[in-house]
Amino acid sequence: QVQLVESGGGLVQPGGSLRLSCAASRKSISRYAMGWYRQAPGKQRELVAEITSGGRTNYADSVKGRFTISRDNVKNMVHLQMSSLKPEDTAVYYCNTDRGQFYWGQGTQVVVSS
């Protein structure tokens, strides 16, 4: 079973940027469509960005134009570049396949606040 470890979160001011990383181990994820999800307090987990094995991307309307998902199949990693961050982006961010097939990692906390 793939193990996923997210990192890169932190506290950032509105308008700032962060780059999240997801490292996968035990199995290659290159054949999988991968996604970044987030869960804000009191809300359901939502998929905000996804990338196919071939590199096509898709974004939730709430992050379109501000977030960029990418993958590095050599390093078995997925990244999420976040810019123009807003307070409503505050959440715990997770990576998984686009269907949530793997065990969920611990996530990485992002707090956008002045």
Side-chain angles (χ1 to χ4, degrees):
Q1 179 61 273
V2 172
Q3 183 177 17
L4 301 168
V5 178
E6 300 90 352
S7 62
L11 173 63
V12 62
Q13 291 187 339
S17 299
L18 280 175
R19 185 175 188 248
L20 306 184
S21 295
C22 169
S25 60
R26 301 180 183 171
K27 183 179 181 179
S28 171
I29 60 171
S30 63
R31 296 184 297 107
Y32 293 90
M34 296 296 295
W36 278 97
Y37 299 74
R38 68 185 181 188
Q39 187 167 20
K43 295 188 177 181
Q44 287 191 333
R45 187 177 290 161
E46 62 171 340
L47 177 65
V48 297
E50 55 187 327
I51 185 167
T52 68
S53 58
R56 290 197 312 272
T57 59
N58 193 40
Y59 300 92
D61 288 343
S62 58
V63 307
K64 199 171 292 184
R66 301 187 298 120
F67 289 11
T68 302
I69 188 171
S70 61
R71 65 191 305 157
D72 184 336
N73 288 333
V74 173
K75 295 183 178 179
N76 219 30
M77 297 184 73
V78 182
H79 303 285
L80 186 68
Q81 179 67 47
M82 306 187 296
S83 60
S84 301
L85 283 162
K86 304 175 181 180
E88 51 263 44
D89 295 317
T90 294
V92 179
Y93 285 73
Y94 304 85
C95 70
N96 209 312
T97 71
D98 62 338
R99 290 179 287 172
Q101 294 167 264
F102 301 144
Y103 290 129
W104 293 93
Q106 294 299 306
T108 186
Q109 175 76 57
V110 172
V111 177
V112 184
S113 175
S114 54

